[in-house]
């Protein structure tokens, strides 16, 4: 581990007045997942995207996604105040931005402990809907996110295209989903709405979601965000089976809250079509979830393959999952 901050990080902090010109600040290296480096300096985080992700299969991704992540955080905070950390400074040329450090637990850790709160899940769905609605059909927002190639490189290819190579009999279906998703331009999409990227903000009963890690930010199909998050709630049923009913209640609450907050045509149908594809991708794509056993993976494959040709409602997916994941 280095005992000093990289010079571009130090230059950003000093230039923005976040540390003094002569200061060599103490810092902590935070886990950046598979895609980024993150440094915590006091109550500030600085994030830099990696050109090659830390996964078993080779997965390169454009580092300019850092710029669009920062723009997503700013847009989300404007659409739903408190829904994203405050951006403090940026250096797009160096692929860096600084944001406030939020002292709140990660939703994934709550779920790992079996603490599945449908009210909070409904907040996630409602806040996501508010961000989508606020940015919908706005050409000026679309122009700030020319990220079709990035989204394909870090979402559609490693999830759906890579999975099609493992399941060649499903290739036509999966590639059709890629084309439909890529061609649907509605609003600003986060692209990685996962419990690991959502903080449980607030105290007591007044919890609210704070979204992080918008490296996949894209102006496109909101169905992807909805399906991506619901997918995680289904998979958590296998991770913590004792809380399975509560996770399914979270699924229902999030889906209902989201759908009640938007008026996008065919949104549920597109999300339901994507959901089994994303289930399959989390076992046979480039970014498999880390907590499934071999037996769990076979359950996922069975349900996903059954649903892929025919799923048209989220309830249909949920009910098939409930029957098969016991």
């Amino acid at each position: 581990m280095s005992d000093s901050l990289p010079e571009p990080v130090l230059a950003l902090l000093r230039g923005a007045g976040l540390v003094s010109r002569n200061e060599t600040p103490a810092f902590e290296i935070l886990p950046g997942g598979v895609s980024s480096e993150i440094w915590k300096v006091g109550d500030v985080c600085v994030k830099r995207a990696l050109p090659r992700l830390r996964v078993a299969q080779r997965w390169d991704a454009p580092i300019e996604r850092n710029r669009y992540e920062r723009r997503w955080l700013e847009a989300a905070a404007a659409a739903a105040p408190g829904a994203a950390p405050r951006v403090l400074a940026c250096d797009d040329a160096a692929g860096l931005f600084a944001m406030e450090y939020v002292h709140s637990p990660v939703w994934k850790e709550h779920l790992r402990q079996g603490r599945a709160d449908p009210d909070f899940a409904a907040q996630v769905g409602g806040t996501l809907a508010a961000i989508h609605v606020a940015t919908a059909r706005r050409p000026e927002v679309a122009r700030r996110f020319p990220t079709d190639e990035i989204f394909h490189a870090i979402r559609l290819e490693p999830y759906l295209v890579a999975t099609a190579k493992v399941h060649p009999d499903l290739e036509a279906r999966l590639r059709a989903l890629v084309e439909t998703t890529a061609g649907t331009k509605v609003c600003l999409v986060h692209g990685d709405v996962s419990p690991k990227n959502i903080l449980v903000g607030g105290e007591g009963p007044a919890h609210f979601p704070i979204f992080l890690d918008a490296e996949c930010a894209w102006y496109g199909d909101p169905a992807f965000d909805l399906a991506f998050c619901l997918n995680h709630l289904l998979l958590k049923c296998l991770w913590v089976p004792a809380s399975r009913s509560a996770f399914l209640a979270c699924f229902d609450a999030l889906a209902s809250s989201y759908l009640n907050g938007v008026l996008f045509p065919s949104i549920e149908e597109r999300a339901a079509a994507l959901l089994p594809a994303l289930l399959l991708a989390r076992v046979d794509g480039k970014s498999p979830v880390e907590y499934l056993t071999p037996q769990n993976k076979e359950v996922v494959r069975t349900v996903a393959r059954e649903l892929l040709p025919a799923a048209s409602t989220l309830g249909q997916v949920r009910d098939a999952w409930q029957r098969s994941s016991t």
Side-chain angles (χ1 to χ4, degrees):
M1 180 184 299
S2 172
D3 58 0
S4 62
L5 287 167
E7 186 56 38
V9 174
L10 195 54
L12 175 69
L13 293 169
R14 288 174 172 168
L18 298 172
V19 301
S20 67
R21 289 287 179 180
N22 298 320
E23 182 182 356
T24 302
F27 67 95
E28 178 183 353
I29 297 177
L30 300 181
V34 301
S35 61
S36 295
E37 298 171 293
I38 305 176
W39 298 268
K40 179 179 180 291
V41 183
D43 286 330
V44 175
C45 281
V46 181
K47 186 170 184 180
R48 178 165 68 182
L50 293 169
R52 179 168 296 171
L53 278 59
R54 303 183 185 110
V55 294
Q57 301 184 51
R58 178 165 177 157
W59 185 351
D60 297 324
I63 61 171
E64 58 263 34
R65 67 189 188 274
N66 180 271
R67 173 189 313 167
Y68 302 113
E69 175 178 11
R70 185 257 304 171
R71 289 181 180 178
W72 187 95
L73 295 174
E74 292 169 337
R86 186 163 55 97
V87 174
L88 304 173
C90 66
D91 182 346
D92 290 340
L96 297 167
F97 72 85
M99 60 183 169
E100 65 177 331
Y101 179 80
V102 181
H103 297 265
S104 295
V106 177
W107 192 25
K108 181 178 179 178
E109 181 57 24
H110 278 205
L111 297 179
R112 187 191 68 80
Q113 297 169 4
R115 296 166 60 189
D117 179 1
D119 290 339
F120 181 75
Q123 289 266 19
V124 172
T127 304
L128 188 61
I131 295 167
H132 286 172
V133 168
T135 58
R137 302 180 182 89
R138 292 180 57 187
E140 74 279 12
V141 177
R143 285 193 293 270
R144 287 178 56 78
F145 292 87
T147 57
D148 286 13
E149 291 185 5
I150 295 175
F151 191 78
H152 187 276
I154 61 181
R155 274 297 169 265
L156 298 179
E157 192 284 327
Y159 281 77
L160 304 185
V161 176
T163 302
K165 294 176 181 177
V166 180
H167 297 271
D169 60 313
L170 298 174
E171 181 175 8
R173 176 59 175 158
L174 291 168
R175 288 195 175 271
L177 287 171
V178 169
E179 292 180 10
T180 298
T181 303
T184 303
K185 302 291 188 179
V186 176
C187 66
L188 186 56
V189 171
H190 180 284
D192 195 7
V193 183
S194 162
K196 70 179 175 60
N197 294 332
I198 299 172
L199 300 180
V200 182
E203 298 180 358
H207 289 313
F208 58 91
I210 303 170
F211 293 85
L212 306 174
D213 293 343
E215 293 187 21
C216 307
W218 170 60
Y219 199 89
D221 190 356
F224 191 90
D225 275 351
L226 178 59
F228 201 88
C229 195
L230 292 175
N231 184 42
H232 279 276
L233 292 174
L234 294 182
L235 292 172
K236 297 300 181 284
C237 295
L238 299 173
W239 193 28
V240 189
S243 297
R244 180 170 164 274
S245 295
F247 292 146
L248 291 175
C250 286
F251 179 104
D252 293 338
L254 194 156
S256 177
S257 179
Y258 179 87
L259 293 173
N260 286 337
V262 302
L263 293 173
F264 303 140
S266 305
I267 179 73
E268 181 177 5
E269 182 179 354
R270 294 197 311 279
L274 277 167
L275 188 44
L278 292 173
L279 278 168
L280 195 58
R282 296 319 299 266
V283 296
D284 290 326
K286 287 187 178 180
S287 183
V289 291
E290 78 283 4
Y291 50 77
L292 295 182
T293 66
Q295 182 180 2
N296 290 158
K297 291 177 182 179
E298 285 306 311
V299 169
V300 174
R301 291 185 183 107
T302 297
V303 178
R305 288 180 60 87
E306 170 194 335
L307 287 169
L308 254 172
S312 60
T313 69
L314 294 172
Q316 181 183 2
V317 177
R318 179 209 187 280
D319 291 346
W321 183 260
Q322 185 173 24
R323 290 193 302 270
S324 302
S325 63
T326 53

